[in-house]
Amino acid sequence: MDGIFDIKEFADRDVEGKVFDIKEFAVHDGEGVRTTVFLKGCPLSCTWCHNPEGQSPYPEIMEKAGCVKCGRCRAGCSHPECQPFGRCLHACPKGLLRVAGQKMSSHALAKKLCRDSVLYEMSGGGVTLSGGEPLMQGRFCVSLL
């Protein structure tokens, strides 16, 4: 958790954060057309959580429903992106595995979000930071916004 910090110190700094999803053209997370950025990490573990993939602050493998328990993903793998998980993300015959959580630069994400600024202005929309709990990555949020 970021704790207390001087906002001015991070306003112009490029900070790395962990994002598990970005939904463009969202209409349920505020007024107008928006982009919702889902951040990793939440200390609450609510039983009604709508985004369980946002609870852990670390990247993790998420399985979609429909696994037939074939075990192919548990076999050895040499893909670098699979090594941290001890499973092969590419072996699932149904394509049901994905990583929830990737590191992103606040400046790179801001640049991506600004591409839709005309749409936000026309619709009265904008950007929503969701989670997880965005304030667990306070420095990233301040730099991004």
Side-chain angles (χ1 to χ4, degrees), residues 4-63:
I4 298 173
F5 58 90
D6 182 2
I7 290 175
K8 294 176 191 169
E9 180 183 347
F10 292 91
D12 294 324
R13 189 181 296 180
D14 192 14
V15 177
E16 189 176 81
K18 293 179 214 92
V19 175
F20 74 85
D21 202 1
I22 299 173
K23 295 288 186 199
E24 297 176 324
F25 304 106
V27 293
H28 301 291
D29 293 318
E31 295 182 21
V33 178
R34 323 186 63 69
T35 298
T36 304
V37 178
F38 295 90
L39 302 174
K40 289 285 282 173
C42 182
L44 301 178
S45 299
C46 301
T47 55
W48 61 84
C49 180
H50 288 269
N51 301 316
E53 63 270 51
Q55 290 180 351
S56 170
Y58 306 105
E60 58 190 321
I61 290 182
M62 303 303 290
E63 292 181 12

Side-chain angles (χ1 to χ4, degrees), residues 57 68 117 120:
V68 295
S117 62
Y120 304 147

Side-chain angles (χ1 to χ4, degrees), residues 55-92:
Q55 290 180 351
S56 170
Y58 306 105
E60 58 190 321
I61 290 182
M62 303 303 290
E63 292 181 12
K64 296 177 188 172
C67 178
V68 295
K69 310 288 186 223
C70 69
R72 291 183 189 172
C73 66
R74 303 272 181 211
C77 171
S78 61
H79 300 110
E81 65 273 20
C82 302
Q83 296 302 311
F85 306 105
R87 294 174 66 182
C88 184
L89 299 168
H90 310 286
C92 180

